[in-house]
Amino acid sequence: MDIKDTHILNQDIIQSAPLVEPARQEFFMDRCHDLIEEMIITDGHRPTFHVETFGCQMNAHDSEKLIGILSRIGFEEVDTEKEADFIIFNTCTVRENANQKLYGHLGSLKKRKESNKNMLIGICGCMMQQQSVVDYIKSSYSFVDLIFGTFNFYKLAELLFYKLTETDKKTVVEVLDVPETHVENLPEKRKYSFKSGVNIMYGCNNFCTYCIVPYVRGRERSRTPEDILSEVNRLVDDGCVEIMLLGQNVNSYGINFLDESDIIKENPDYDFPDLLNDVAKIEGLKRIRFMTSHPKDLSDKLLDVIAENPKIARHIHLPVQAGSSRILKAMNRRYTKEDYLALVDKIRAKLPDVSLTTDIMVGFPGETEEDIEDTLDVIRYAKYDQAFTFIYSIRSGTPAAKMEQLPPEVVDKNFERVLEEVRKVSAEASSRFEGQVKNVLVESVNDHMDGYVTGRMDNNILVHFPGEPELVGTFIDVKLDEAKGFYYLGHSL
Ligand code: 5AD
Ligand code: SF4
């Protein structure tokens, strides 16, 4: 990637770029494409890239857009970091160990970067929204080429253009405090041809006292129903049969719309259940999932819409975080243990075959033996099919970081107890469908069992059964012969 004497040209080109999005990014994607074509002539091969994604579904979906942009520019995607000329780390910072993982990767890349003038390294995502992290990377890993945040990832082509045409070796850094603009219709390259995530909103307003997300992803912004429905329509035309509506708290959809919307003008009370209803009307779409639901905002209307609509998956991810009302208050969750259990009852009454999953945190400041008993109690009562358990991780800048922290030995012991209860309950809960026939979406060929494929039921549970690779992407009825804890073995009918 030898680009010489382009400094002057670079300035001319930048000044001629359109000022308004998305035309500006189209322009830079074209300019980068020209540069890549030049490189192919000089270097004799098409440069490759790999995006390494950490964290949640939101990041995974953002990465599909980064991959879309790089593919459009002319890079070739490869499966591993090792084969890539350009590596992008899309980072997570919800827990400290995610930060440590990134530093580990960067440390191991230093030598390779020094010996390979063609190599590029970019870092983006939630971790980059923290000034201290950016400063640390700039001083300790100065070989990093690009740093950008969550609000401007759509600008990848523009930032890459600066880097490729820059004659000095500085890291190109652009991290914004708040979004400048919102860009629809970015290119994206989906991991699966038959299913996709669709963002319905960005950011979070809840400020749970342990959580860094509202600081790194900003305040809640909702996409208009028009934009969401047209994206889903496009995905369905392109072969998607399942979509997952994504937001930090989908139940509060409707805050701060990003664009003008006739639908909202006509119905200012339009909410998440209305959106689900409208999405479900799209012909050709077979299954709809959504994530995540804050318990304080889950409405009766939502349960009614799910109950009336067989396309909407019988699965609710309902993070409880802790069982004790005292700890929930300190976490600013705005529900009590009793509220949560009553909600579980209501959900099970309206959706008898629902699968409930959750997130649980252990070790929040001030948590006592009694509080842990409350958490165990909720786990037993809610009978989760699956629960993601986390050890509380101190995030600087959050209110909980200033509270008195617990000794790690106590937390580790409690964590084991919670994990054990989760294992027991979910193995039992998720075996309750043994002997039944369920419709599954076949997602992949099974890598571990010859001649088997793996499908997912509408309640999110996996089933492995003998089948041909051609079944991938189709729905099929499967008899669940044997419950294996977190999955089933079965056969197709
Ligand atoms: N420490 C540990 N886990 C956390 N989560 C959010 N913040 C923290 C933290 N500081 C967990 C919550 C959330 C999930 C996505 O990550 O359980 O639901
Ligand atoms: Fe974090 Fe709470 Fe928002 Fe979830 S709802 S992203 S835990 S602040």
Side-chain angles (χ1 to χ4, degrees):
M1 291 191 196
D2 242 350
I3 305 210
K4 296 193 189 81
D5 305 327
T6 48
H7 211 71
I8 305 294
L9 185 67
N10 173 4
Q11 283 312 318
D12 286 348
I13 292 181
I14 290 168
Q15 270 156 30
S16 67
L19 291 175
V20 181
E21 303 291 5
R24 187 174 174 89
Q25 292 318 307
E26 286 292 331
F27 174 91
F28 281 109
M29 281 190 262
D30 288 343
R31 296 293 77 73
C32 283
H33 184 266
D34 297 343
L35 292 173
I36 298 295
E37 291 304 309
E38 275 173 39
M39 275 176 213
I40 294 171
I41 293 166
T42 327
D43 298 348
H45 90 286
R46 186 172 290 283
T48 55
F49 78 94
H50 177 73
V51 178
E52 188 73 28
T53 309
F54 302 93
C56 66
Q57 302 268 356
M58 297 276 182
N59 262 18
H61 193 50
D62 287 353
S63 286
E64 292 187 334
K65 294 187 178 138
L66 297 174
I67 294 169
I69 293 170
L70 291 177
S71 303
R72 156 94 153 71
I73 286 173
F75 281 88
E76 183 187 337
E77 189 180 8
V78 286
D79 290 339
T80 63
E81 221 180 279
K82 270 194 222 115
E83 311 160 75
D85 298 314
F86 185 9
I87 304 171
I88 297 192
F89 295 100
N90 190 3
T91 62
C92 168
T93 190
V94 161
R95 286 168 288 275
E96 179 61 26
N97 55 5
N99 289 38
Q100 296 310 329
K101 251 194 225 165
L102 175 75
Y103 299 141
H105 276 275
L106 291 178
S108 71
L109 282 174
K110 184 164 193 255
K111 278 231 161 64
R112 217 178 115 198
K113 172 82 180 167
E114 277 165 359
S115 64
N116 180 356
K117 70 178 169 53
N118 282 344
M119 193 174 177
L120 289 168
I121 298 176
I123 318 180
C124 62
C126 295
M127 221 176 129
M128 298 307 109
Q129 289 299 134
Q130 297 160 287
Q131 187 64 49
S132 57
V133 169
V134 173
D135 292 344
Y136 177 67
I137 290 177
K138 274 175 27 189
S139 65
S140 303
Y141 306 100
S142 56
F143 54 84
V144 168
D145 299 286
L146 290 180
I147 292 179
F148 51 107
T150 55
F151 297 125
N152 58 345
F153 75 89
Y154 65 89
K155 272 181 155 175
L156 171 60
E158 180 170 349
L159 300 173
L160 180 64
F161 180 82
Y162 299 156
K163 182 67 207 184
L164 291 176
T165 58
E166 195 55 77
T167 42
D168 65 29
K169 293 268 176 276
K170 272 209 239 111
T171 314
V172 172
V173 182
E174 193 189 76
V175 178
L176 309 174
D177 285 343
V178 287
E180 262 176 355
T181 182
H182 171 70
V183 181
E184 287 286 335
N185 299 327
L186 287 172
E188 70 179 27
K189 198 160 168 213
R190 302 195 311 271
K191 189 168 170 202
Y192 299 97
S193 60
F194 52 89
K195 67 171 191 174
S196 178
V198 172
N199 285 115
I200 65 164
M201 59 199 295
Y202 305 97
C204 182
N205 285 356
N206 288 313
F207 289 95
C208 301
T209 54
Y210 51 79
C211 186
I212 199 146
V213 169
Y215 306 91
V216 295
R217 291 234 167 219
R219 296 296 73 71
E220 276 179 34
R221 286 104 56 211
S222 297
R223 287 176 76 200
T224 62
E226 283 91 336
D227 282 339
I228 296 165
L229 294 168
S230 88
E231 179 172 348
V232 178
N233 268 307
R234 233 181 314 117
L235 287 166
V236 171
D237 287 346
D238 202 29
C240 271
V241 285
E242 177 180 299
I243 58 131
M244 161 99 84
L245 302 176
L246 295 170
Q248 301 295 345
N249 176 16
V250 290
N251 294 328
S252 65
Y253 172 78
I255 293 177
N256 190 9
F257 281 105
L258 285 160
D259 272 308
E260 288 280 297
S261 161
D262 289 335
I263 296 178
I264 300 303
K265 263 187 219 144
E266 241 169 67
N267 177 8
D269 296 329
Y270 192 92
D271 58 8
F272 180 57
D274 293 327
L275 179 69
L276 265 182
N277 245 335
D278 283 346
V279 172
K281 285 183 201 139
I282 294 175
E283 234 172 274
L285 181 62
K286 304 259 171 59
R287 195 191 262 168
I288 305 159
R289 300 185 180 284
F290 57 88
M291 163 124 138
T292 288
S293 282
H294 195 305
K296 77 176 164 60
D297 298 316
L298 196 145
S299 65
D300 290 359
K301 182 173 167 189
L302 176 70
L303 296 177
D304 290 337
V305 168
I306 301 174
E308 284 156 17
N309 214 312
K311 274 191 191 179
I312 304 172
R314 266 59 191 150
H315 171 218
I316 300 183
H317 185 64
L318 196 65
V320 65
Q321 311 298 358
S324 143
S325 297
R326 197 179 66 85
I327 293 293
L328 288 168
K329 187 154 197 273
M331 287 177 163
N332 190 32
R333 292 292 290 176
R334 285 173 275 173
Y335 53 84
T336 62
K337 176 184 177 187
E338 291 69 32
D339 296 336
Y340 188 89
L341 296 184
L343 182 60
V344 168
D345 283 344
K346 189 159 63 179
I347 294 172
R348 291 215 185 273
K350 291 212 183 205
L351 305 167
D353 54 351
V354 76
S355 170
L356 284 181
T357 58
T358 200
D359 294 342
I360 300 170
M361 199 184 302
V362 177
F364 186 82
E367 190 174 56
T368 63
E369 171 62 24
E370 218 180 1
D371 296 324
I372 287 291
E373 286 298 334
D374 278 327
T375 298
L376 297 173
D377 211 28
V378 172
I379 296 169
R380 287 189 283 260
Y381 191 89
K383 298 192 174 63
Y384 298 113
D385 281 292
Q386 209 178 1
F388 300 94
T389 43
F390 306 106
I391 290 184
Y392 163 76
S393 165
I394 191 164
R395 306 317 290 133
S396 83
T398 62
K402 296 189 203 84
M403 300 176 190
E404 197 180 328
Q405 308 294 313
L406 293 174
E409 327 69 85
V410 175
V411 177
D412 288 347
K413 238 200 248 147
N414 286 339
F415 184 72
E416 281 310 312
R417 285 170 68 197
V418 167
L419 205 58
E420 189 47 40
E421 198 62 51
V422 163
R423 278 202 201 107
K424 239 196 279 169
V425 162
S426 59
E428 211 179 288
S430 55
S431 62
R432 70 189 181 282
F433 301 108
E434 203 173 66
Q436 294 186 18
V437 174
K438 291 271 182 189
N439 196 242
V440 309
L441 172 57
V442 184
E443 294 197 343
S444 58
V445 170
N446 193 303
D447 288 337
H448 307 290
M449 296 161 79
D450 232 13
Y452 275 63
V453 289
T454 297
R456 200 179 285 273
M457 308 182 336
D458 95 328
N459 59 14
N460 212 33
I461 297 173
L462 292 177
V463 47
H464 308 305
F465 61 98
E468 299 300 316
E470 293 73 48
L471 288 177
V472 172
T474 63
F475 281 92
I476 184 163
D477 281 339
V478 174
K479 172 102 186 278
L480 307 174
D481 297 318
E482 196 185 343
K484 287 291 215 181
F486 300 105
Y487 64 91
Y488 284 89
L489 292 178
H491 68 275
S492 58
L493 295 182

